[in-house]
């Protein structure tokens, strides 16, 4: 049974890139800035914009019979709430894993080897060599074992590091031991680098708090490429500004940091503007995912990557395989 017949696209180019749509599906353009065009008729499914989707989530309530929402991001903060329990919500798990893992490695190397300071020195023609930390032989505490976590662990392996993985509960998977997040403070004492790739939910909000940060050894590096509120910004700022810890952040809380925030000006912080998944790998991978999702909807199948079942929990819908097979 086909539940979704009309899908809105946030910009004309995305609709053009995915056209022709599978038989039985109609595509319309709605930028979510205002009311949907009445000429389009009833919209059943909405593809959210990639950039600043959070700013327009409130307009989902303008779709009277919303059944399906597709994000172009791995994170889905606030999407389920905005869509309501009657709508299915799918994220873009797998699309951003490679690019985000790349950035995490880049941030780690840049901060440990002082590349950020070298860039500042270059502006003043200052030649200031000094011995810096290597990534080799470091102990890395990796928070998050999903797609991004797996890709990051794989990329860290050739650097001759020790990686300790942390998930929600203690267990053993195909890659080895996973520690429970309740052990985070104890684990922090024995690690030089803490990297968070965690999504944001009630459990992960401020999971990296003042106690966890205080447990890290002097000089440790805190990296966040997941979601800003996973780390307590006030607690991190105090540790970094004091000079005891370093940080390299692609996500912050609030985002962006306000003008004059101490993390902007301290030499112990390296900040990038939430660009983890915004790389050349994004476009071909999101198009591949969206094409597969649209084919599933047209065939009356359950789409992949559902984080909220909505109407797909009812009736004899066939589950589309997970997107693990996508390029990560």
């Amino acid at each position: 049974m086909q539940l979704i017949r009309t899908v809105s696209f946030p910009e004309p180019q995305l609709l053009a890139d995915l056209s022709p749509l599978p038989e039985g599906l109609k595509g319309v353009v709605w930028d979510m800035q205002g009311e949907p065009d009445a000429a389009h008729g009833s919209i059943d499914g909405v593809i959210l914009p990639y950039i600043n989707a959070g700013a327009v989530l409130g307009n989902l309530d303008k779709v009277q019979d919303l059944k399906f929402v597709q994000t172009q991001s791995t994170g889905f903060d606030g999407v389920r709430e905005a869509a309501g329990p009657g709508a299915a919500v799918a994220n873009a798990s797998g699309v951003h894993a490679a690019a985000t893992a790349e950035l995490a490695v880049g941030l780690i190397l840049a901060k440990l080897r002082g590349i950020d300071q070298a860039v500042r020195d270059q502006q003043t023609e200052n030649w200031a060599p000094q011995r810096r930390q290597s990534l080799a032989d470091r102990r890395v505490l990796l928070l998050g074992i999903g797609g991004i976590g797996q890709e990051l662990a794989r990329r860290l392996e050739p650097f001759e590091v020790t990686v300790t993985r942390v998930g929600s509960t203690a267990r053993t998977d195909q890659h080895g031991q996973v520690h429970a997040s309740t052990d985070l403070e104890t684990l922090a004492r024995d690690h030089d680098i803490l990297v968070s790739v965690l999504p944001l939910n009630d459990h992960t909000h401020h999971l990296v708090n003042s106690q966890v940060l205080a447990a890290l050894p002097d000089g440790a590096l805190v990296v966040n490429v997941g979601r800003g509120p996973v780390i307590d910004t006030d607690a991190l700022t105090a540790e970094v500004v004091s000079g005891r810890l370093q940080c390299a952040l692609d996500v912050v809380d609030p985002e962006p940091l306000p003008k004059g925030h101490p993390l902007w000006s301290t030499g112990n912080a390296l900040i990038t503007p939430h660009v983890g998944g915004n790389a050349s790998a994004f476009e071909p991978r999101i198009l591949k995912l969206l094409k597969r999702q649209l084919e599933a909807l047209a065939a009356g199948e359950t789409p992949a990557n559902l984080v909220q079942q909505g109407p797909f929990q009812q009736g004899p819908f066939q589950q589309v395989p997970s997107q693990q097979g996508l390029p990560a």
Side-chain angles (χ1 to χ4, degrees), residues 46 100 107 134 172 186 214 242 244 269 302 306 312:
V46 173
T100 304
L107 288 173
S134 64
T172 301
T186 300
S242 74
R244 200 184 77 79
T302 299
L306 288 182
F312 293 102

Side-chain angles (χ1 to χ4, degrees), residues 5-317:
R5 298 188 181 278
T6 302
V7 178
S8 72
F9 293 74
E11 69 272 341
Q13 188 60 54
L14 185 60
L15 176 55
D17 289 341
L18 290 163
S19 294
L21 299 184
E23 185 176 353
L25 278 187
K26 174 186 176 183
V28 300
V29 176
W30 178 40
D31 63 7
M32 299 185 63
Q33 296 294 329
E35 298 281 346
D37 189 340
H40 293 155
S42 176
I43 292 175
D44 306 305
V46 173
I47 299 175
L48 296 178
Y50 175 49
I51 303 297
N52 293 328
V56 295
L57 281 180
N59 286 328
L60 284 175
D61 63 8
K62 300 181 186 302
V63 181
Q64 293 185 357
D65 193 23
L66 183 64
K67 298 184 181 72
F68 177 71
V69 178
Q70 173 70 56
T71 76
Q72 296 190 61
S73 60
T74 304
F76 47 92
D77 313 352
V79 179
R80 291 181 297 190
E81 295 80 358
V89 176
N91 73 346
S93 177
V95 169
H96 303 280
T100 304
E102 285 175 356
L103 182 65
V105 173
L107 288 173
I108 293 169
L109 288 170
K111 201 74 195 86
L112 290 181
R113 298 304 302 266
I115 295 173
D116 55 335
Q117 182 58 51
V119 171
R120 290 190 288 268
D121 287 341
Q122 182 180 347
Q123 309 310 306
T124 59
E125 302 180 6
N126 181 34
W127 185 268
Q130 57 181 290
R131 179 169 292 175
R132 297 278 187 173
Q133 290 181 306
S134 64
L135 179 50
D137 302 330
R138 300 278 77 79
R139 300 161 297 175
V140 180
L141 187 58
L142 176 57
L143 280 56
I145 60 170
I148 297 173
Q150 291 176 24
E151 291 302 312
L152 179 53
R154 189 161 66 88
R155 283 162 172 76
L156 286 172
E157 185 176 354
F159 286 95
E160 303 175 34
V161 301
T162 300
V163 177
T164 302
R165 299 182 304 140
V166 178
S168 55
T169 59
R171 57 194 183 275
T172 301
D173 63 14
Q174 67 270 33
H175 302 293
Q177 184 176 10
V178 177
H179 295 265
S181 59
T182 51
D183 296 330
L184 191 52
E185 184 177 342
T186 300
L187 292 168
R189 299 189 183 108
D190 299 319
H191 289 82
D192 312 295
I193 303 169
L194 181 151
V195 186
S196 175
V197 298
L198 289 170
L200 180 62
N201 54 46
D202 291 342
H203 174 71
T204 63
H205 183 268
H206 283 191
L207 180 65
V208 182
N209 55 25
S210 58
Q211 290 81 13
V212 172
L213 294 169
L216 288 166
D218 290 353
L221 172 62
V222 177
V223 180
N224 193 358
V225 294
R227 283 293 183 264
V230 170
I231 298 179
D232 183 333
T233 300
D234 290 342
L236 178 65
T237 301
E239 292 279 13
V240 171
V241 171
S242 74
R244 200 184 77 79
L245 297 181
Q246 309 173 76
C247 69
L249 310 173
D250 186 51
V251 292
V252 289
D253 179 34
E255 193 167 294
L257 290 173
K259 301 278 188 189
H261 193 282
L263 286 179
W264 282 122
S265 56
T266 178
N268 279 341
L270 172 58
I271 300 173
T272 52
H274 200 155
V275 293
N278 197 9
S280 60
F282 168 68
E283 186 173 356
R285 295 176 186 222
I286 193 64
L287 291 178
K288 185 173 183 178
L289 171 64
L290 293 178
K291 183 176 185 293
R292 186 174 175 83
Q293 297 290 72
L294 293 170
E295 289 172 347
L297 295 174
E301 299 174 346
T302 299
N305 293 350
L306 288 182
V307 296
Q308 178 165 290
Q309 296 293 316
F312 293 102
Q313 63 190 344
Q314 306 163 9
F317 298 105

